[in-house]
Amino acid sequence: MEYFLELFFGGLTRGSIYALIAIGYTMVYGIIQLINFAHGEIYMIGAFTALIAASALSIEGFGGWSLLVLAGFIAIVYSAAYGFTLEKIAYKPLRKASRLSPLISAIGMSIFLQNYVLLAQTSDFLPFPPLIEEFSFLEQVTVMRSSELLILSVTAVSTALLTLFIKFTRMGKAMRAVAQDKTMAMLLGVNVDRVISVTFIIGSTLAAIGGVLISSHIGQINFYIGFIAGIKAFTAAVLGGIGSLPGAVLGGMVLGWTESFATGYVSSDYEDVFAFGLLVFILIFRPAGILGKSTAEKI
Amino acid sequence: MPYGRRAPITQKGGKILRSFGVALWFMFLTFPIMVIKISPLEKNIEWRWGRMIYVGAGAFVLSLLWRYVIEQKRGPIPKEEADPLKVDTKDTGWNRGGSHSLQERLAIFFHKNKKFRILTFTGLFFIIAAFPFVFSTYQTSIIITALMYVMLGLGLNIVVGLAGLLDLGYVAFYASGAYFYALMNHHFGLGFWAALPMAGALAAIMGLLLGFPVLRLRGDYLAIVTLGFGEIIRLVLENWNEFSLGPSGIARIDRPGTLGIDFDLRDHTVYLYYIVVVLVAFTIIVVSRLRNSRIGRAWIALREDEVACQAMGIDKTKTKLTAFALGATWAGFVGCILAAKTTFINPASFTFMESAIILSIVVLGGMGSIFGIILGALVLILLPEYLRAFSEYRMLVFGASMVIIMVFRPQGIIGGTRKRHEFHVKEPTGEKP
């Protein structure tokens, strides 16, 4: 039972990180129908910026929670800036092109950003400082680490905030309008360019939060982490039903648990096989994902 | 103001100022990753301020260039906005002789001048035939790789370009062809020539296997499932040691059989070169015939509109499955050639990146255009090879050029043109026959 709980919380933690990244995919997809393959790279850049900021700040004498908050804040600012710039350079000129062109541009951007970090920093794994302090009240609990608790609560808070933002603010309403019908929204005076930029900024922010937390939990990063995480998060987004926010969160959790239990009870070699196998299996029975609505095509 | 078109910068120096802003933004953006270098063990920081100046200067120049090229592409900004109600009397809706693009005009010229056509083809034939004797074994080997990717690109073009099914796991078929020959050769000593058609057939069956469950999916769901399929194949090859000999791969695979004549390495490369050239020619003929065949037109119709296509009596299931199977066949062939060429394969050659590169060949070259795909494959495979001079920067340049080509030519280097019949209206001359 204890082993099960350990795997359960481990899966939940992983799932929350996938969910945080998947939200970025799903929002961008919902608005411009683009698989943003460079999204994983934004997450990686967030983690790297946090590492650099934390190292620089800790030499300056910062420590404890203030270090996590400051490094996390810098990472968020930079990730958001990268996400914003990425859209302006690689996707905005292609808004009217066929759907595959921005996809190739995204793959190119992903290769570019990976090699940029590789050349500017290093190809080695870098140790990530443990920014998350141990909670004293969790000392007796063996099934859950304090970093896991923090990741879960941060994910819960950020997704709740995001939901509120989309439900109740003007910008959130504009986002939903653009997702429904871009041309109509434009005709009604919604600044579509700005909505798209904000979407990229929000997605990048969440990816950076995920990047900082999970890197601190795992303890090492390199330039390649974004690629794997990106593909997994995209899987999560599709699993839940792409374009749907709760779907992304649910998909992330399901994927996290699948991987965690597959690793714990079968073999860690086949963890990805289980993840993708589950995806194929679910899509066969629900072709639009768990929470996705399959819309009938009007003629 | 039309959507997507920014106000032209009118005041003097505005462009410079804007580029200056862009430079500052990029200096800010690259600050932590370019400037600060930490060594986590010794806990010290190295500040590399010099790089910031490079970034700033580079961003400034590139931004000016970028804006200039985009303005050139859009053409001169019209002095007055066109009146939407004024009907352009010249354009009657029919495509007239004068309005062809350069590419179309070239094609027409090529089609009409028989002498020129024969001359070009003979010239090309001799260049291709003489290539391995003029250039070194190393160069020939690179060209073989590029030609292999031409075949992969043409195969994937059937699935993505013609049938419009976004396949991100094409590498799975490539891997299955390669592993089929490698394993058969390793265990039973099967030769290359026997394995080649069988590898193609196996890949076609794999294509059907993948095709069945994904028939109902569309668009990006299809993309992720095919991606997952590719990853599953790779992971199984990597982890199922009893079957595939695991991550260390299979070595000492036989090169193509040569009827008992002894070949050294150079001869083998030349021999393989001709095999690949013949296969590429075969692929080009088959694919171009396929495109204009009944099934090819069904694929294009399916891509354009699934519902309308079904209403016209096209069997969706059959059409999609043939696209998957016929697309996969080429990957099976090329996999078999890869195993024979390198004599060593391991699962690491069949990552998602490989699928992405093949897809990029199709899209960069121009979807649906055979010539475009050949050009795309040559660019994408030869570019990193000849960029070896920049060694470590080559992948950076590679990624950047993918973005740049897409931004400036979204339809690919050579866009696919559809066969069409034109209707030319003769100017009324005033006299009746």
Side-chain angles (χ1 to χ4, degrees), chain B residues 132-211:
Chain B
F133 299 106
V134 178
F135 291 95
S136 65
T137 314
Y138 169 69
Q139 302 282 353
T140 314
S141 172
I142 294 174
I143 289 292
I144 294 175
T145 313
L147 289 176
M148 281 162 56
Y149 277 90
V150 169
M151 277 176 79
L152 287 171
L154 289 172
L156 185 63
N157 183 42
I158 293 180
V159 187
V160 179
L162 297 183
L165 305 161
L166 181 51
D167 185 351
L168 292 179
Y170 194 62
V171 77
F173 310 122
Y174 186 30
S176 60
Y179 263 87
F180 174 76
Y181 175 48
L183 285 172
M184 282 300 180
N185 189 268
H186 184 79
H187 291 301
F188 309 111
L190 191 74
F192 173 78
W193 290 108
L196 189 65
M198 283 154 85
L202 178 80
I205 295 169
M206 298 274 290
L208 289 180
L209 277 183
L210 170 68

Coordinates of all heavy atoms in Angstrom, one line a residue, chain B residues 132-211:
Chain B
P132 N 30.2 9.3 -59.6 CA 31.1 8.6 -58.7 C 32.5 8.5 -59.2 O 33.4 8.3 -58.4 CB 30.4 7.2 -58.6 CG 29.5 7.1 -59.7 CD 29.1 8.5 -60.0
F133 N 32.7 8.7 -60.5 CA 34.1 8.6 -61.1 C 34.8 10.0 -61.0 O 36.0 10.0 -61.1 CB 34.0 8.1 -62.5 CG 33.4 6.7 -62.5 CD1 32.2 6.5 -63.0 CD2 34.2 5.7 -62.0 CE1 31.6 5.3 -63.0 CE2 33.6 4.4 -62.0 CZ 32.3 4.2 -62.5
V134 N 34.0 11.0 -60.9 CA 34.6 12.4 -60.8 C 34.9 12.7 -59.3 O 36.0 13.3 -59.0 CB 33.7 13.4 -61.4 CG1 34.3 14.8 -61.3 CG2 33.4 13.0 -62.9
F135 N 34.0 12.4 -58.5 CA 34.1 12.8 -57.1 C 34.6 11.6 -56.2 O 34.6 10.5 -56.6 CB 32.8 13.3 -56.6 CG 32.4 14.6 -57.2 CD1 31.6 14.7 -58.3 CD2 32.9 15.8 -56.7 CE1 31.2 15.9 -58.9 CE2 32.6 17.0 -57.3 CZ 31.7 17.1 -58.4
S136 N 35.0 12.0 -55.0 CA 35.6 11.0 -54.1 C 34.5 10.0 -53.5 O 33.3 10.3 -53.7 CB 36.3 11.7 -52.9 OG 35.3 12.3 -52.2
T137 N 35.0 9.0 -52.9 CA 34.1 8.0 -52.3 C 33.2 8.7 -51.2 O 32.0 8.4 -51.1 CB 34.8 6.9 -51.6 OG1 35.8 6.5 -52.5 CG2 33.9 5.7 -51.3
Y138 N 33.8 9.7 -50.5 CA 33.1 10.4 -49.4 C 32.0 11.2 -50.0 O 30.8 11.1 -49.5 CB 34.1 11.3 -48.7 CG 33.5 12.3 -47.8 CD1 32.9 11.8 -46.6 CD2 33.5 13.6 -48.0 CE1 32.3 12.7 -45.7 CE2 32.9 14.5 -47.2 CZ 32.3 14.1 -46.0 OH 31.8 15.0 -45.2
Q139 N 32.2 11.9 -51.1 CA 31.2 12.7 -51.7 C 30.1 11.8 -52.2 O 28.9 12.1 -52.1 CB 31.8 13.5 -52.9 CG 32.9 14.4 -52.6 CD 32.4 15.7 -51.9 OE1 31.2 15.9 -51.8 NE2 33.3 16.4 -51.4
T140 N 30.5 10.7 -52.9 CA 29.5 9.7 -53.4 C 28.6 9.2 -52.3 O 27.4 9.1 -52.4 CB 30.2 8.5 -54.1 OG1 31.2 9.1 -54.9 CG2 29.2 7.7 -54.9
S141 N 29.2 8.9 -51.2 CA 28.5 8.4 -50.0 C 27.5 9.4 -49.5 O 26.3 9.1 -49.2 CB 29.5 8.0 -48.9 OG 28.8 7.7 -47.8
I142 N 27.9 10.7 -49.5 CA 26.9 11.7 -49.1 C 25.7 11.8 -50.0 O 24.6 11.9 -49.6 CB 27.6 13.1 -49.0 CG1 28.7 13.1 -47.9 CG2 26.6 14.2 -48.7 CD1 29.5 14.4 -47.9
I143 N 26.1 11.7 -51.3 CA 25.0 11.8 -52.3 C 24.0 10.6 -52.2 O 22.8 10.7 -52.3 CB 25.6 11.9 -53.7 CG1 26.3 13.2 -54.0 CG2 24.5 11.7 -54.8 CD1 25.3 14.4 -54.0
I144 N 24.6 9.4 -51.9 CA 23.8 8.3 -51.7 C 22.7 8.6 -50.5 O 21.5 8.4 -50.7 CB 24.6 7.0 -51.3 CG1 25.4 6.6 -52.5 CG2 23.6 5.9 -50.9 CD1 26.3 5.4 -52.2
T145 N 23.3 9.1 -49.4 CA 22.4 9.5 -48.3 C 21.3 10.4 -48.8 O 20.1 10.3 -48.5 CB 23.2 10.1 -47.2 OG1 24.3 9.3 -47.0 CG2 22.4 10.2 -45.9
A146 N 21.7 11.5 -49.5 CA 20.7 12.5 -50.0 C 19.7 11.8 -50.9 O 18.5 12.1 -50.7 CB 21.5 13.6 -50.8
L147 N 20.1 10.9 -51.8 CA 19.2 10.2 -52.6 C 18.2 9.3 -51.9 O 17.0 9.2 -52.2 CB 19.9 9.4 -53.7 CG 20.6 10.2 -54.8 CD1 21.4 9.3 -55.7 CD2 19.6 11.0 -55.5
M148 N 18.7 8.7 -50.8 CA 17.9 7.9 -49.9 C 16.8 8.8 -49.3 O 15.6 8.4 -49.2 CB 18.7 7.3 -48.8 CG 19.4 6.0 -49.3 SD 20.8 5.6 -48.1 CE 19.9 5.4 -46.6
Y149 N 17.2 10.0 -49.0 CA 16.1 10.9 -48.4 C 15.2 11.4 -49.5 O 14.0 11.7 -49.2 CB 16.8 12.1 -47.7 CG 17.2 11.7 -46.3 CD1 18.4 11.2 -46.0 CD2 16.3 11.8 -45.2 CE1 18.8 10.8 -44.7 CE2 16.6 11.4 -44.0 CZ 17.9 10.9 -43.7 OH 18.2 10.5 -42.5
V150 N 15.6 11.4 -50.7 CA 14.7 11.8 -51.8 C 13.6 10.7 -51.8 O 12.4 11.1 -51.9 CB 15.5 11.8 -53.2 CG1 14.4 11.9 -54.3 CG2 16.4 13.0 -53.2
M151 N 14.0 9.4 -51.8 CA 13.0 8.4 -51.8 C 12.1 8.5 -50.6 O 10.9 8.3 -50.7 CB 13.7 7.0 -51.8 CG 14.1 6.6 -53.2 SD 15.0 5.0 -53.1 CE 13.7 3.9 -52.9
L152 N 12.7 8.7 -49.4 CA 11.8 8.8 -48.2 C 10.9 10.0 -48.4 O 9.7 9.9 -48.0 CB 12.7 9.1 -47.0 CG 13.5 7.9 -46.5 CD1 14.5 8.3 -45.4 CD2 12.6 6.8 -45.9
G153 N 11.4 11.1 -48.9 CA 10.5 12.3 -49.0 C 9.4 12.0 -50.0 O 8.2 12.3 -49.8
L154 N 9.7 11.3 -51.1 CA 8.7 11.0 -52.1 C 7.6 10.0 -51.5 O 6.4 10.2 -51.8 CB 9.3 10.4 -53.3 CG 10.1 11.4 -54.2 CD1 10.8 10.6 -55.3 CD2 9.2 12.4 -54.8
G155 N 8.1 9.1 -50.7 CA 7.2 8.2 -50.0 C 6.3 8.9 -49.1 O 5.0 8.7 -49.1
L156 N 6.9 9.7 -48.2 CA 6.0 10.5 -47.3 C 5.1 11.4 -48.0 O 4.0 11.7 -47.5 CB 6.9 11.2 -46.3 CG 6.2 11.9 -45.1 CD1 5.5 10.9 -44.3 CD2 7.1 12.7 -44.2
N157 N 5.5 11.9 -49.1 CA 4.7 12.8 -49.9 C 3.4 12.2 -50.2 O 2.3 12.9 -50.3 CB 5.4 13.3 -51.1 CG 4.7 14.3 -51.9 OD1 4.1 15.2 -51.3 ND2 4.6 14.1 -53.2
I158 N 3.4 10.9 -50.5 CA 2.1 10.2 -50.8 C 1.1 10.4 -49.6 O 0.0 10.7 -49.8 CB 2.3 8.7 -51.1 CG1 3.2 8.6 -52.3 CG2 1.0 8.0 -51.2 CD1 3.4 7.1 -52.7
V159 N 1.7 10.2 -48.4 CA 0.8 10.2 -47.2 C 0.4 11.7 -46.9 O -0.7 12.0 -46.7 CB 1.5 9.6 -46.0 CG1 0.5 9.5 -44.9 CG2 2.0 8.2 -46.4
V160 N 1.5 12.5 -46.8 CA 1.2 13.9 -46.3 C 0.8 14.8 -47.5 O -0.2 15.5 -47.3 CB 2.5 14.5 -45.6 CG1 2.2 15.9 -45.1 CG2 2.9 13.6 -44.5
G161 N 1.6 14.8 -48.5 CA 1.3 15.8 -49.6 C 0.1 15.4 -50.4 O -0.7 16.3 -50.7
L162 N -0.1 14.2 -50.7 CA -1.3 13.9 -51.6 C -2.5 13.6 -50.8 O -3.6 14.1 -51.0 CB -0.9 12.7 -52.5 CG 0.2 12.9 -53.5 CD1 0.4 11.7 -54.4 CD2 -0.1 14.1 -54.4
A163 N -2.4 12.6 -49.8 CA -3.6 12.3 -49.1 C -3.9 13.2 -47.9 O -4.9 13.1 -47.3 CB -3.4 10.8 -48.6
G164 N -2.9 14.1 -47.6 CA -3.2 15.0 -46.5 C -3.3 14.5 -45.1 O -3.9 15.0 -44.2
L165 N -2.6 13.3 -44.9 CA -2.6 12.7 -43.6 C -1.3 13.0 -42.9 O -0.2 12.5 -43.4 CB -2.8 11.2 -43.7 CG -4.0 10.7 -44.4 CD1 -3.9 9.3 -44.9 CD2 -5.3 10.9 -43.6
L166 N -1.3 13.8 -41.9 CA -0.1 14.2 -41.2 C 0.6 13.1 -40.5 O 0.1 12.7 -39.4 CB -0.3 15.4 -40.3 CG 0.9 16.0 -39.6 CD1 2.0 16.3 -40.6 CD2 0.6 17.3 -38.9
D167 N 1.6 12.5 -41.0 CA 2.3 11.3 -40.4 C 3.6 11.8 -39.7 O 4.5 12.1 -40.5 CB 2.5 10.3 -41.5 CG 3.0 9.0 -40.9 OD1 3.4 9.0 -39.7 OD2 3.1 8.0 -41.7
L168 N 3.7 11.7 -38.4 CA 4.9 12.1 -37.7 C 5.7 10.9 -37.3 O 6.6 11.0 -36.6 CB 4.6 13.0 -36.5 CG 4.0 14.3 -36.8 CD1 3.8 15.0 -35.5 CD2 5.0 15.1 -37.6
G169 N 5.3 9.7 -37.7 CA 6.0 8.5 -37.3 C 6.4 7.7 -38.5 O 6.6 6.5 -38.4
Y170 N 6.8 8.4 -39.6 CA 7.2 7.7 -40.8 C 8.4 6.9 -40.6 O 8.7 5.9 -41.2 CB 7.5 8.8 -41.8 CG 7.6 8.2 -43.2 CD1 6.5 7.5 -43.8 CD2 8.7 8.4 -44.0 CE1 6.6 7.1 -45.1 CE2 8.8 7.9 -45.3 CZ 7.8 7.2 -45.8 OH 7.9 6.7 -47.1
V171 N 9.2 7.3 -39.6 CA 10.5 6.6 -39.3 C 10.3 5.1 -38.9 O 11.1 4.3 -39.0 CB 11.3 7.4 -38.2 CG1 10.7 7.2 -36.9 CG2 12.7 7.1 -38.3
A172 N 9.1 4.8 -38.4 CA 8.8 3.5 -38.0 C 8.9 2.5 -39.1 O 9.4 1.4 -39.0 CB 7.4 3.4 -37.4
F173 N 8.4 2.9 -40.3 CA 8.5 2.0 -41.5 C 10.0 1.9 -42.0 O 10.4 0.8 -42.4 CB 7.6 2.6 -42.6 CG 6.2 2.9 -42.1 CD1 5.7 4.2 -42.3 CD2 5.5 1.9 -41.5 CE1 4.5 4.5 -41.8 CE2 4.2 2.2 -41.1 CZ 3.7 3.5 -41.2
Y174 N 10.7 3.0 -41.9 CA 12.1 3.1 -42.2 C 12.8 2.1 -41.3 O 13.6 1.2 -41.8 CB 12.5 4.5 -42.0 CG 13.9 4.9 -42.3 CD1 14.6 4.3 -43.4 CD2 14.5 5.9 -41.6 CE1 15.9 4.7 -43.7 CE2 15.8 6.4 -42.0 CZ 16.5 5.7 -43.0 OH 17.7 6.2 -43.3
A175 N 12.5 2.1 -40.0 CA 13.2 1.2 -39.1 C 12.8 -0.2 -39.4 O 13.7 -1.1 -39.3 CB 12.8 1.6 -37.7
S176 N 11.5 -0.5 -39.7 CA 11.1 -1.9 -39.9 C 11.8 -2.4 -41.1 O 12.3 -3.6 -41.1 CB 9.6 -2.0 -40.0 OG 9.1 -1.3 -41.0
G177 N 12.0 -1.6 -42.2 CA 12.7 -2.1 -43.3 C 14.2 -2.4 -43.0 O 14.7 -3.5 -43.3
A178 N 14.8 -1.5 -42.3 CA 16.2 -1.7 -41.9 C 16.4 -2.9 -41.0 O 17.3 -3.8 -41.2 CB 16.7 -0.5 -41.2
Y179 N 15.5 -3.1 -40.0 CA 15.7 -4.2 -39.1 C 15.3 -5.5 -39.7 O 15.9 -6.5 -39.4 CB 14.8 -3.9 -37.8 CG 15.7 -3.4 -36.7 CD1 15.9 -2.0 -36.6 CD2 16.4 -4.2 -35.8 CE1 16.7 -1.5 -35.6 CE2 17.2 -3.7 -34.8 CZ 17.3 -2.3 -34.8 OH 18.2 -1.8 -33.8
F180 N 14.4 -5.5 -40.7 CA 14.0 -6.7 -41.4 C 15.2 -7.2 -42.1 O 15.6 -8.4 -41.9 CB 12.9 -6.4 -42.4 CG 12.6 -7.6 -43.2 CD1 11.8 -8.7 -42.7 CD2 13.0 -7.7 -44.5 CE1 11.5 -9.8 -43.5 CE2 12.7 -8.8 -45.3 CZ 12.0 -9.8 -44.8
Y181 N 15.9 -6.4 -42.9 CA 17.1 -6.9 -43.6 C 18.2 -7.3 -42.6 O 18.8 -8.4 -42.8 CB 17.6 -5.8 -44.6 CG 18.8 -6.2 -45.3 CD1 19.0 -7.5 -45.9 CD2 19.9 -5.4 -45.3 CE1 20.1 -7.9 -46.5 CE2 21.1 -5.7 -46.0 CZ 21.2 -7.0 -46.5 OH 22.4 -7.4 -47.2
A182 N 18.4 -6.5 -41.6 CA 19.5 -6.7 -40.7 C 19.3 -8.1 -39.9 O 20.2 -8.9 -39.9 CB 19.6 -5.6 -39.7
L183 N 18.1 -8.3 -39.4 CA 17.8 -9.5 -38.7 C 17.8 -10.7 -39.6 O 18.4 -11.8 -39.2 CB 16.4 -9.4 -38.0 CG 16.4 -8.5 -36.8 CD1 15.0 -8.3 -36.3 CD2 17.3 -9.1 -35.7
M184 N 17.2 -10.6 -40.8 CA 17.2 -11.7 -41.7 C 18.6 -12.1 -42.1 O 18.9 -13.3 -42.2 CB 16.3 -11.4 -42.9 CG 14.9 -11.5 -42.7 SD 14.4 -13.1 -42.2 CE 12.7 -13.0 -42.0
N185 N 19.4 -11.1 -42.3 CA 20.8 -11.3 -42.7 C 21.6 -11.9 -41.6 O 22.4 -12.8 -41.7 CB 21.4 -10.0 -43.2 CG 22.8 -10.2 -43.8 OD1 23.8 -10.1 -43.1 ND2 22.8 -10.5 -45.1
H186 N 21.3 -11.4 -40.4 CA 22.1 -11.8 -39.2 C 21.7 -13.3 -38.9 O 22.6 -14.1 -38.6 CB 21.7 -10.9 -38.0 CG 22.4 -11.2 -36.8 ND1 23.7 -10.8 -36.6 CD2 22.1 -11.9 -35.6 CE1 24.1 -11.2 -35.4 NE2 23.1 -11.9 -34.8
H187 N 20.4 -13.7 -38.9 CA 20.0 -15.0 -38.5 C 20.1 -16.0 -39.6 O 20.5 -17.1 -39.4 CB 18.6 -15.0 -37.9 CG 18.6 -14.3 -36.6 ND1 19.3 -14.6 -35.5 CD2 17.9 -13.2 -36.2 CE1 19.0 -13.8 -34.5 NE2 18.2 -12.9 -34.9
F188 N 19.6 -15.6 -40.8 CA 19.5 -16.6 -41.9 C 20.3 -16.3 -43.1 O 20.3 -17.1 -44.1 CB 18.0 -16.6 -42.4 CG 17.0 -16.8 -41.2 CD1 16.2 -15.8 -40.9 CD2 17.0 -18.0 -40.5 CE1 15.3 -15.9 -39.8 CE2 16.1 -18.1 -39.5 CZ 15.2 -17.1 -39.1
G189 N 21.1 -15.2 -43.0 CA 22.0 -15.0 -44.2 C 21.3 -14.5 -45.4 O 21.8 -14.7 -46.5
L190 N 20.1 -14.0 -45.3 CA 19.3 -13.5 -46.5 C 20.1 -12.4 -47.2 O 20.6 -11.5 -46.6 CB 18.0 -13.1 -46.0 CG 16.9 -12.8 -47.1 CD1 16.4 -14.1 -47.6 CD2 15.8 -12.0 -46.6
G191 N 20.1 -12.5 -48.5 CA 20.8 -11.4 -49.3 C 20.0 -10.2 -49.5 O 18.8 -10.1 -49.3
F192 N 20.7 -9.1 -49.9 CA 20.1 -7.8 -50.1 C 19.0 -7.8 -51.1 O 17.9 -7.3 -50.9 CB 21.2 -6.8 -50.5 CG 20.6 -5.5 -50.9 CD1 20.3 -4.6 -49.9 CD2 20.5 -5.1 -52.2 CE1 19.8 -3.3 -50.3 CE2 20.0 -3.9 -52.6 CZ 19.7 -3.0 -51.6
W193 N 19.2 -8.5 -52.3 CA 18.2 -8.4 -53.3 C 16.9 -9.2 -53.0 O 15.9 -8.7 -53.4 CB 18.8 -9.0 -54.6 CG 19.9 -8.1 -55.1 CD1 21.2 -8.3 -55.1 CD2 19.7 -6.8 -55.7 NE1 21.9 -7.2 -55.6 CE2 21.0 -6.3 -56.0 CE3 18.5 -6.0 -55.9 CZ2 21.1 -5.0 -56.5 CZ3 18.7 -4.7 -56.4 CH2 20.0 -4.2 -56.7
A194 N 17.1 -10.2 -52.2 CA 15.9 -10.9 -51.8 C 15.1 -10.1 -50.7 O 13.9 -10.1 -50.7 CB 16.2 -12.3 -51.2
A195 N 15.9 -9.4 -49.9 CA 15.3 -8.7 -48.8 C 14.6 -7.4 -49.2 O 13.6 -7.0 -48.6 CB 16.4 -8.4 -47.7
L196 N 15.1 -6.8 -50.3 CA 14.6 -5.5 -50.7 C 13.1 -5.5 -50.9 O 12.4 -4.8 -50.3 CB 15.4 -5.0 -51.9 CG 15.1 -3.6 -52.3 CD1 15.6 -2.6 -51.3 CD2 15.8 -3.3 -53.7
P197 N 12.6 -6.4 -51.8 CA 11.1 -6.4 -52.0 C 10.4 -6.8 -50.8 O 9.3 -6.2 -50.5 CB 10.9 -7.4 -53.2 CG 12.1 -8.1 -53.3 CD 13.2 -7.3 -52.7
M198 N 11.0 -7.7 -50.0 CA 10.3 -8.2 -48.8 C 10.2 -7.1 -47.8 O 9.2 -6.9 -47.1 CB 11.0 -9.4 -48.2 CG 10.7 -10.7 -49.0 SD 12.0 -11.9 -48.8 CE 11.5 -12.7 -47.3
A199 N 11.3 -6.3 -47.7 CA 11.2 -5.1 -46.7 C 10.1 -4.2 -47.1 O 9.4 -3.6 -46.2 CB 12.6 -4.5 -46.7
G200 N 10.0 -3.9 -48.4 CA 9.0 -3.0 -48.9 C 7.6 -3.6 -48.5 O 6.7 -2.8 -48.0
A201 N 7.4 -4.9 -48.7 CA 6.1 -5.5 -48.4 C 5.8 -5.4 -47.0 O 4.7 -5.1 -46.5 CB 6.1 -6.9 -48.9
L202 N 6.9 -5.7 -46.1 CA 6.7 -5.7 -44.7 C 6.2 -4.2 -44.3 O 5.3 -4.1 -43.5 CB 7.9 -6.1 -44.0 CG 7.8 -6.0 -42.5 CD1 7.1 -7.2 -41.9 CD2 9.2 -5.8 -41.8
A203 N 6.9 -3.2 -44.8 CA 6.6 -1.9 -44.4 C 5.2 -1.6 -44.9 O 4.4 -0.9 -44.1 CB 7.6 -0.9 -45.1
A204 N 4.7 -2.1 -46.0 CA 3.4 -1.8 -46.5 C 2.4 -2.4 -45.5 O 1.4 -1.8 -45.1 CB 3.2 -2.4 -47.9
I205 N 2.7 -3.6 -45.0 CA 1.8 -4.3 -44.0 C 1.8 -3.5 -42.7 O 0.7 -3.2 -42.1 CB 2.3 -5.7 -43.7 CG1 2.1 -6.5 -45.0 CG2 1.5 -6.3 -42.6 CD1 2.8 -7.9 -45.0
M206 N 3.0 -3.0 -42.3 CA 3.0 -2.1 -41.1 C 2.1 -0.9 -41.3 O 1.5 -0.4 -40.4 CB 4.4 -1.7 -40.8 CG 5.4 -2.8 -40.6 SD 5.4 -3.2 -38.8 CE 6.2 -1.8 -38.1
G207 N 2.2 -0.3 -42.6 CA 1.4 0.8 -42.9 C -0.1 0.5 -42.7 O -0.8 1.3 -42.1
L208 N -0.5 -0.7 -43.2 CA -1.9 -1.0 -43.0 C -2.2 -1.2 -41.5 O -3.3 -0.7 -41.0 CB -2.2 -2.4 -43.7 CG -2.2 -2.3 -45.2 CD1 -2.5 -3.7 -45.8 CD2 -3.2 -1.4 -45.7
L209 N -1.3 -1.8 -40.8 CA -1.5 -2.0 -39.3 C -1.7 -0.7 -38.6 O -2.6 -0.5 -37.7 CB -0.3 -2.7 -38.7 CG -0.3 -4.2 -38.9 CD1 0.9 -4.8 -38.1 CD2 -1.6 -4.8 -38.3
L210 N -0.9 0.3 -39.0 CA -1.1 1.6 -38.4 C -2.3 2.3 -38.9 O -3.0 3.0 -38.2 CB 0.1 2.5 -38.7 CG 0.0 4.0 -38.3 CD1 0.0 4.1 -36.8 CD2 1.2 4.8 -38.9
G211 N -2.6 2.1 -40.2 CA -3.7 2.7 -40.8 C -5.1 2.4 -40.2 O -5.9 3.2 -40.0

